[in-house]
Amino acid sequence: IKIRNIYLVEILIMSTVLIVYYNRSGNTESMARLIAEGAREAGAEVCLKLVQDTSPEDLKDADAVVLGSPVFYGQPSAKLLALLEDTVRFHGDFDGKVGGAFSSAANIGGGNETTILALLQALMVHGFVIQGNPVGDHYGPVSIASPDRRVEQQCRHYGRRIVALADKLHSTRKKSCCS
């Protein structure tokens, strides 16, 4: 845009997505990588981190945070729950960020949905915006054992949806500079 010999250049900032997961057998990590692929396809900058390498401050820096866990007695891993406990000191700082969750279990009825809902509840208390899915896995991707073709598609689709929502919510974050 040219205004009196001054050129304004609009720079859109890409959304940043942090995917934090606990891994035991490799299934949750596979899902995390698939979600990251979808998010990158949608144009996001993605950071994948194991929960033990993640601090509450890391969550503050991202536009979207997606948490993944295998099922432990119908709940997320203790390490993910501990990370969420540590975020209490930043209560309110996550308001308006996009949140999501995914899980893997050993069998059907193994606790995938209760695990995802536990993670989503914690994110909602912080003010994260959660997007459901009217088709497929409604609360977030789930896998029974190793991800199959359906799970792979759901994970990539989820990554793209997370970015689309983050882009909508943060589209006003434009920088203008003069050159």
Side-chain angles (χ1 to χ4, degrees), residues 121-141:
Q121 284 174 331
L123 294 175
M124 287 189 288
V125 168
H126 274 301
F128 279 85
V129 177
I130 308 298
Q131 181 172 7
N133 188 354
V135 295
D137 297 335
H138 303 301
Y139 306 113

Side-chain angles (χ1 to χ4, degrees), residues 28-123:
T28 308
E29 181 175 26
S30 295
M31 294 176 74
R33 292 187 183 285
L34 291 162
I35 293 167
E37 281 179 30
R40 286 187 185 107
E41 288 170 9
E45 177 183 333
V46 180
C47 181
L48 277 164
K49 292 188 96 169
L50 289 165
V51 66
Q52 59 265 31
D53 300 329
T54 306
S55 72
E57 291 83 1
D58 294 334
L59 279 65
K60 288 176 62 174
D61 294 335
D63 298 314
V65 176
V66 181
L67 305 175
S69 179
V71 176
F72 291 92
Y73 294 98
Q75 294 295 312
S77 74
K79 290 186 180 189
L80 261 175
L81 293 174
L83 173 66
L84 289 168
E85 261 186 47
D86 287 345
T87 62
V88 170
R89 59 192 156 119
F90 297 112
H91 188 75
D93 291 349
F94 305 111
D95 191 36
K97 292 182 180 288
V98 175
F102 62 98
S103 71
S104 61
N107 53 49
I108 295 173
N112 270 321
E113 286 187 347
T114 56
T115 297
I116 289 175
L117 288 172
L119 294 170
L120 294 180
Q121 284 174 331
L123 294 175

